[in-house]
Structures are given as structure tokens and as C-alpha cells.
Amino acid sequence: MGSGIWSTDVYTAAAGYRAAKGASAFAYSDSGARAVHNDLNPYGVAARESRDSDEHPETVAVAVLFDVTGSMGGVPRTLQSKLPDLLGLLLRKGYAADPQILFGAIGDATCDRAPLQIGQFESDNRMDEDLGRILLEGGGGGQRTESYELAMYFMARHTSLDCFEKRGRRGYLFIIGDELPYPKVKRREVGAVIGDRLGRDVTTEEIVAELTRMYDVYYILPAGTSYAGDRRTLAAWRGLLGQNVLELDDLDAVCETIALTVGLGEDAIDLDQGLNDLDELGSTAGAAVGKALARLDRGALVVADGLDLGGDSGVIRL
């Protein structure tokens, strides 16, 4: 995996073919599938790998995981339609030399058939194919929590990145959601969904500490979702990820937000340059992206700990 080069022409041709046939970009899910696609099943996977090659000598790992429960179910369809914008900024504008992108989906391990779906790190149009294999279950537990912590566990312990292992540079992980993680990674759920046998549950704070060694982790809360702007949700995630919690006024601006965040992290652009690039491409996302990223300090990742519950502080300990 990870070989090849993204082609917008190939993407456009595939989209045109689907349109002519009346086929969906998410044919697996829309055909009535009820289980995780074999290619996205995390059970028994040793690692999803982002590897250098002669073709891609300086890979940058970018993982995008989205909640597909409830009001979040439209996110992957938006991402799929905007892939050329994301890859255009990363590649043509030189934000990252050799980006490899992994897509995955998050549900609820307490009740969903597909609580976790994880694709491969890809450099070419196979990333579009992985998106098309995602089961858009639309379930969730209805209690303002989903299994984000289980997804973070997989990314912390079952991915391997050459950018980190060879060059000491973290990859990027974007979690797009609107609810809270559970307080613990439960060993029973890890065994059932991923196949690991743990001796104990792992707290969400512990797994975030592991994860942020290898990734710059961002949580994006878009407008138009059930808990957009919710103080409790934002406070909980800020307790885990500090400044790297982004409120986005426009769901359609997710791809542009991801691209500019990577460009900033790679020191390829400053925010003004990135917003100018969006204008040049004819994107209408500039205002939403600029607002979301305006307070993002591109110094060291901020991870808060030891924060207290509730009251007027707005901070929740998980």
C-alpha cells in the first residue's frame, strides 16, 4: 500500500462513470451492507503502515477518522466530494511532499455493528476506494458518547509511520465528531473489535498520551451537527487535546481545514498564504477555515492534564 500518485483525472472519470450508471460513491453501504467491509476491518490487523519508497521518499502520514453516527453520517460523503480539493492543496501547492492518507470511521462499540473501520495509508486514488467501502451505519448509542477512544487506541498501537520512526516527525490525525469519548478504552471491546488481549482497561487520558507521541491530533466539531458548539463536548476534548480542538462553521470546509492545518504544521505556509491559496482555487471556505485556525499556535502540541471537573471552569475530567 502507499504506492502510486493521486490523479484528479482518474477521480473525475470514476465519478462520471458512477453518475452515468446511477451508482453511489458509497455503493457498499448504499447496497444494504450490514457489516464492516473486509478491507476496513481492524480485527487482527498488526499495523496500518505509512512507508517511504523510491516513489515517495519523504512520506507524511495523514489520518482522517470521522464519526458516522447520527447527524455525522453526511461527513464522509462531503469528504469524498472534496477529495480533489484536499489533494490539490497538499500536492500542487506543496503543503506536503509525499502525503499518505488513511480514512476511517467511528461508531459505538456498545451497540453498533461497525464500531470501527480503518482503511490503509494511500498515496493514490485507492484512498477514494477506501472511502467508498465505509459502512454508513448511522447508529450510535444516543448518550452523547461514541467510541472515539477505541479508534485512538488503534491508531496509537496499530499504526507504524516512517515520518515518525525515520525522521522524528509526527503524522497528523484528524477526528471529526460532535460527541464525547468514553472515559476508558475497555479491554472487552478491544478484544472483540481489534483482537488484542489487554490485562486492564486503559484510561482515555493514557491512550491520548500514547497517541500524541506519534501524531499531532486534532478534533474538528463542524456546524450543523447535533452538538455543534456544545460547551461540554468542547471542554472535554480541550481537556485532552488543548488548543487542537477546532470549531468549524461550515461542514463543507472540512477538507480545506485539514489541508491548511497540514500546511501550517509542515511550515509550508502561514495562515494568510493558505487563505490566499483557497481564494486562488475559487474556494468559498476561506472565512470558515480562517476562523477555525486563527488561534492555532504552530508551536509544540498542547496537551492539558490535571484539569478539574465542571463548575464554571467549563473543563471536564474524563
Side-chain angles (χ1 to χ4, degrees):
M1 300 296 172
S3 61
I5 298 173
W6 168 266
S7 168
T8 297
D9 289 342
V10 170
Y11 171 92
T12 302
Y17 178 81
R18 288 192 299 265
K21 296 291 185 180
S24 167
F26 291 85
Y28 177 72
S29 185
D30 291 344
S31 67
R34 296 174 61 85
V36 177
H37 192 287
N38 286 340
D39 290 347
L40 274 61
N41 191 342
Y43 191 88
V45 171
R48 298 298 198 210
E49 298 177 329
S50 173
R51 295 298 185 212
D52 297 343
S53 64
D54 291 342
E55 189 176 28
H56 301 292
E58 294 191 26
T59 55
V60 177
V62 181
V64 183
L65 306 182
F66 32 82
D67 181 345
V68 292
T69 66
S71 64
M72 295 298 297
V75 172
R77 296 184 190 275
T78 299
L79 278 171
Q80 195 278 334
S81 70
K82 301 293 286 291
L83 266 181
D85 296 336
L86 173 58
L87 273 298
L89 287 163
L90 292 178
L91 294 172
R92 289 196 299 276
K93 291 297 184 179
Y95 290 4
D98 296 302
Q100 291 187 336
I101 301 179
L102 172 152
F103 289 116
I106 299 167
D108 193 318
T110 69
C111 57
D112 287 345
R113 291 185 297 271
L116 183 61
Q117 305 172 69
I118 302 288
Q120 302 278 359
F121 285 102
E122 302 287 7
S123 302
D124 64 5
N125 293 70
R126 283 173 289 187
M127 67 182 73
D128 187 23
E129 295 173 10
D130 273 352
L131 269 174
R133 296 181 181 115
I134 287 173
L135 179 65
L136 305 177
E137 188 171 3
Q143 69 279 25
R144 297 188 63 177
T145 46
E146 308 296 350
S147 296
Y148 302 101
E149 75 295 334
L150 186 63
M152 291 191 286
Y153 171 91
F154 183 93
M155 298 303 294
R157 298 193 180 181
H158 287 270
T159 62
S160 185
L161 316 179
D162 274 354
C163 60
F164 179 71
E165 294 165 13
K166 289 184 177 181
R167 293 180 289 281
R169 293 187 64 85
R170 289 181 290 196
Y172 298 86
L173 171 59
F174 297 90
I175 299 171
I176 305 166
D178 70 339
E179 298 189 69
L180 303 169
Y182 285 98
K184 294 180 180 179
V185 181
K186 304 177 191 71
R187 60 179 182 172
R188 177 184 55 80
E189 293 176 356
V190 169
V193 177
I194 298 172
D196 292 357
R197 300 293 178 251
L198 301 182
R200 64 173 179 88
D201 294 345
V202 180
T203 68
T204 297
E205 289 92 346
E206 287 176 302
I207 208 62
V208 167
E210 286 186 35
L211 183 64
T212 52
R213 286 186 62 252
M214 196 161 60
Y215 292 93
D216 278 351
V217 183
Y218 298 85
Y219 178 81
I220 299 176
L221 178 58
T225 57
S226 294
Y227 296 106
D230 181 68
R231 284 189 62 207
R232 182 170 176 235
T233 301
L234 291 165
W237 281 102
R238 285 173 177 147
L240 292 169
L241 301 177
Q243 66 167 0
N244 287 12
V245 176
L246 308 178
E247 292 185 79
L248 188 59
D249 287 346
D250 182 2
L251 176 59
D252 288 344
V254 167
C255 278
E256 291 90 340
T257 302
I258 291 170
L260 263 66
T261 303
V262 173
L264 291 168
E266 293 298 297
D267 293 324
I269 54 168
D270 60 25
L271 184 55
D272 286 340
Q273 289 173 296
L275 296 177
N276 287 337
D277 287 343
L278 293 182
D279 287 342
E280 182 182 316
L281 292 171
S283 171
T284 60
V289 175
K291 182 179 177 182
L293 298 182
R295 296 183 180 181
L296 193 61
D297 178 4
R298 290 309 313 152
L301 173 71
V302 176
V303 179
D305 62 3
L307 298 172
D308 293 328
L309 258 177
D312 292 329
S313 66
V315 176
I316 295 172
R317 180 190 292 278
L318 295 173

